[in-house]
Amino acid sequence: MHIVRTLPELRARLAPHRCPAFVPTMGNLHEGHLALVRQARPLGDATVASIFVNRLQFLPHEDFDTYPRTWESDCRKLEAAGCDVLFAPDEATLYPEPQTCKVHPDGALADILEGHFRPGFFVGVCTVVMKLFACVQPGVAVFGKKDYQQLMVIRHMARQMALPIDIVGGETQRADDGLALSSRNGYLSPAERAEAVQLSKALQAMADAVRVGDRDLSAIEARAARALTQRGWQPDYLVLRRRADLQPPVGGAPLGPLVALAAARLGATRLIDNLEIDV
C-alpha cells in the first residue's frame, strides 16, 4: 500500500489509472470501513482510501479534538483489506486557505433528521467529499448505508453536479448482537455497550409493526421513542420515511419502500442506525 500525503504525490501515483475506486474515511477504522474497501476493490483499477478528520462537519460542541486518531492500526487494517493507495492529507494540504467556497446540499434532504439536529453538518460533509473527489478523481466511490442520509445527500450532490462518479452503498456491518459498527461505539462503557443494542431492536420493532400491517406510523414512532426513553436513552428521532427522499409517507397512499431511521444519545454517546423496510 502506498501512503501519500500531498496532491502532487496522489496525482502522480494515480496517473496510470482510469477508474480508481474510492472509500473516504475519518480513520479510527473498524470492520464496517474495511468491508467498504473490500467492496470497492473489484469496482475500479485501483483502490484508494482516505483518512482525514474533517473539521468542517463538527459543530463547536462536538468531538473534533478528541475524535480518536488510530493511524498505525488504520494503516495495517487498510493494507490487509487490499487498499492500494492511502491518501492522508493534513489540514494545510486539503484546506490551504480558509474554505469559504462550500457545497450547500438541497435543504429538503439535508436539513431534516441529522441536518436538523446538527446544523451545517451536511455542508461540511459535501464540501470535503467534493474536494476529495477533485483530488482522487474516482470512477466509483463507496459509502456505508449506516450513514443513510449522508449516502443519499452525496448521491444527490453527484447527480446534480453531473459528477462522473458512481456512488455505491455498502451494507451496514453489525456486531453479533446487532449493534451497528461505529467509531463512536468505542466511547461506550461496558454497561452502555450492553444496552446499545436496544437501538437496533427499536428499529426492528418499528419494521415488524409495519410488516404486519400497522399503518399508524406516528404511533409506531412514538412507541419506539417511548421504549428507549424509559430505558434512559435521549432520542433525537425515531422515524419511518420514504426510502426515495426521506420524506414522511403521504397518508392514504401506498407506502412503498421505507426506511426506519434513529438517532439517540446513550449517556454521552450519540448513536445512529437505520433499517430498510420493504412493504
Side-chain angles (χ1 to χ4, degrees):
M1 183 176 72
H2 295 263
I3 299 173
V4 297
R5 296 185 178 276
T6 70
L7 289 181
E9 287 179 294
L10 179 69
R11 287 169 177 157
R13 180 65 186 79
L14 294 180
H17 300 283
R18 291 178 175 269
C19 183
F22 180 43
V23 180
T25 83
M26 293 205 303
N28 193 25
L29 303 183
H30 53 68
E31 178 57 31
H33 298 106
L34 304 180
L36 300 180
V37 173
R38 290 191 290 268
Q39 182 176 349
R41 285 187 64 191
L43 303 180
D45 58 4
T47 306
V48 183
S50 65
I51 292 177
F52 181 72
V53 184
N54 177 40
R55 187 185 298 272
L56 294 186
Q57 69 193 68
F58 287 81
L59 300 182
H61 65 279
E62 292 183 334
D63 56 345
F64 174 80
D65 290 327
T66 59
Y67 190 86
R69 274 78 165 173
T70 53
W71 171 254
E72 292 183 1
S73 172
D74 290 347
C75 290
R76 289 194 299 270
K77 291 175 180 178
L78 286 171
E79 187 164 23
C83 181
D84 298 311
V85 178
L86 170 57
F87 180 43
D90 60 18
E91 283 196 287
T93 296
L94 211 57
Y95 299 132
E97 59 187 60
Q99 189 69 31
T100 56
C101 182
K102 298 179 180 178
V103 179
H104 289 257
D106 182 0
L109 183 59
D111 291 348
I112 60 174
L113 303 173
E114 286 300 286
H116 173 76
F117 287 94
R118 303 178 68 191
F121 171 69
F122 286 117
V123 173
V125 168
C126 287
T127 299
V128 76
V129 169
M130 183 69 86
K131 198 153 196 179
L132 288 168
F133 283 171
C135 295
V136 176
Q137 298 184 35
V140 178
V142 184
F143 293 83
K145 285 187 180 181
K146 189 255 179 183
D147 295 291
Y148 202 89
Q149 186 177 5
Q150 173 178 278
L151 171 62
M152 293 191 66
V153 167
I154 290 168
R155 276 182 170 156
H156 187 266
M157 178 185 75
R159 185 172 65 250
Q160 289 260 311
M161 296 296 188
L163 300 179
I165 304 170
D166 185 16
I167 307 299
V168 175
E171 296 299 327
T172 301
Q173 302 297 306
R174 297 184 179 276
D176 290 343
D177 63 358
L179 177 67
L181 299 187
S182 169
S183 297
R184 289 192 168 90
N185 291 351
Y187 296 154
L188 298 170
S189 70
E192 289 170 340
R193 172 60 187 85
E195 171 65 21
V197 68
Q198 295 300 325
L199 189 63
S200 62
K201 288 184 176 181
L203 290 171
Q204 189 63 59
M206 294 169 73
D208 290 345
V210 173
R211 287 175 181 140
V212 300
D214 190 343
R215 293 298 180 261
D216 190 343
L217 303 190
S218 295
I220 295 172
E221 295 169 349
R223 285 199 302 271
R226 186 165 56 249
L228 284 184
T229 300
Q230 290 172 348
R231 299 184 66 93
W233 292 70
Q234 297 173 286
D236 283 344
Y237 56 84
L238 288 100
V239 296
L240 293 158
R241 295 295 173 94
R242 295 189 306 229
R243 209 182 300 173
D245 56 10
L246 298 188
Q247 295 300 311
V250 177
L255 288 182
L258 299 179
V259 58
L261 304 114
R265 196 172 297 278
L266 180 59
T269 305
R270 187 175 184 272
L271 301 176
I272 66 171
D273 199 356
N274 66 82
L275 183 65
E276 292 181 329
I277 308 168
D278 292 313
V279 181

